[in-house]
Amino acid sequence: MKKILFIIAIIVIFGGFATGCNLIKDDNEQEKTLTSSNKTTNNEKVVDEKAWKDITKLKIPEGEKSDYPTNAKDWIASENLIFNEEPVQDSKLIQAGFDKYYHYYLEAITIPSDLAIIKVKGISIEKDFANIEQLSSIIQEEHDKRTEHIDPNRSDKREANAEWKAPSERLVKASDFLKQLFYDLDIAINKDGKGELYGVAHQVDGQNVDELEVFIQDEE
């Protein structure tokens, strides 16, 4: 009987010892896990969403000059100038009876072909370039609505510009947003971020980006 009690006591003591070892082992493993997790966190790279690269690949023959921008910086500066300089009153367009929204339309229709050449890489700037393309598309669509009532058999609807509909609110808004977006990008890319902003570009953490993108997504 004493021998049986002695064996039971040994089993109980050994069991407690084994349990204690397991607890220590579990604690050690947990500590290792936490340490490993912290190490991973500390080693994570912070992504700079404003970092960007010009990946335009346009070869100009040696000795020749291009009349058009051949890189992203120059293209942004050029478009900002075009869209933010009101057509002068004595311009040929004004003299011919066209308004400034036709001027914006003529510029907008060149943007898709420009963006087939001018290429950028970067989280924020790619979003801004996508918005530029979307806004240019809206301008084209809304301009077409101005002339859709004119006889399609007429060889040149421009000759009937006196009969065009007034610019729609959506055309006006898209033109304004595109002007502002080029302005903000020019500040960010060409002027080291120095200057007042409209706040419609991802590249400047614009507070009005959501408003611009809601407008783009709001199909009429």
Side-chain angles (χ1 to χ4, degrees), residues 2-14:
K2 288 181 179 181
K3 186 176 181 180
I4 293 173
L5 292 174
F6 177 74
I7 292 172
I8 292 172
I10 291 297
I11 292 172
V12 170
I13 292 171
F14 180 77

Side-chain angles (χ1 to χ4, degrees), residues 4-213:
I4 293 173
L5 292 174
F6 177 74
I7 292 172
I8 292 172
I10 291 297
I11 292 172
V12 170
I13 292 171
F14 180 77
F17 175 75
T19 302
C21 288
N22 286 335
L23 288 173
I24 292 171
K25 182 179 179 183
D26 289 343
D27 287 343
N28 287 339
E29 286 180 353
Q30 183 177 11
E31 183 179 351
K32 287 180 181 177
T33 302
L34 290 173
T35 302
S36 175
S37 175
N38 289 337
K39 185 176 181 181
T40 302
T41 302
N42 292 336
N43 287 341
E44 284 180 354
K45 292 182 179 180
V46 177
V47 177
D48 182 1
E49 295 191 357
K50 307 301 174 299
W52 72 284
K53 289 173 59 179
D54 188 339
I55 55 174
T56 304
K57 294 181 179 179
L58 180 61
K59 294 183 179 180
I60 304 297
E62 188 175 349
E64 293 187 15
K65 292 183 179 180
S66 173
D67 294 330
Y68 303 97
T70 57
N71 60 75
K73 283 189 173 185
D74 289 348
W75 183 73
I76 290 169
S78 175
E79 292 298 311
N80 177 50
L81 190 63
I82 289 169
F83 277 91
N84 282 289
E85 276 200 354
E86 296 288 334
V88 292
Q89 289 302 310
D90 60 349
S91 72
K92 291 181 179 180
L93 284 178
I94 299 298
Q95 288 179 355
F98 296 100
D99 56 33
K100 63 183 180 181
Y101 294 101
Y102 181 61
H103 165 74
Y104 298 145
Y105 161 75
L106 291 178
E107 297 303 332
I109 60 177
T110 68
I111 286 177
S113 57
D114 288 346
L115 293 181
I117 299 170
I118 305 297
K119 298 291 184 180
V120 292
K121 184 176 182 180
I123 295 174
S124 291
I125 200 168
E126 286 183 44
K127 292 177 182 177
D128 288 329
F129 269 48
N131 286 342
I132 286 172
E133 192 159 18
Q134 291 283 349
L135 288 169
S136 71
S137 177
I138 291 172
I139 290 173
Q140 293 179 59
E141 290 170 5
E142 292 301 314
H143 172 77
D144 289 342
K145 292 178 183 178
R146 299 183 71 182
T147 64
E148 62 186 358
H149 63 287
I150 297 174
D151 185 353
N153 294 320
R154 297 181 79 153
S155 59
D156 189 351
K157 290 186 177 182
R158 292 191 309 168
E159 296 176 355
N161 62 312
E163 302 172 33
W164 289 2
K165 294 178 182 177
S168 67
E169 183 178 345
R170 189 161 173 79
L171 173 56
V172 173
K173 192 70 174 175
S175 301
D176 286 344
F177 270 135
L178 190 54
K179 290 164 63 177
Q180 294 170 9
L181 184 49
F182 277 125
Y183 181 88
D184 280 2
L185 279 175
D186 192 46
I187 292 288
I189 301 303
N190 293 312
K191 298 176 182 175
D192 297 323
K194 297 175 182 177
E196 294 184 10
L197 298 166
Y198 288 103
V200 295
H202 286 278
Q203 197 67 23
V204 297
D205 287 324
Q207 71 275 15
N208 297 318
V209 169
D210 288 345
E211 180 186 348
L212 182 154
E213 292 183 341

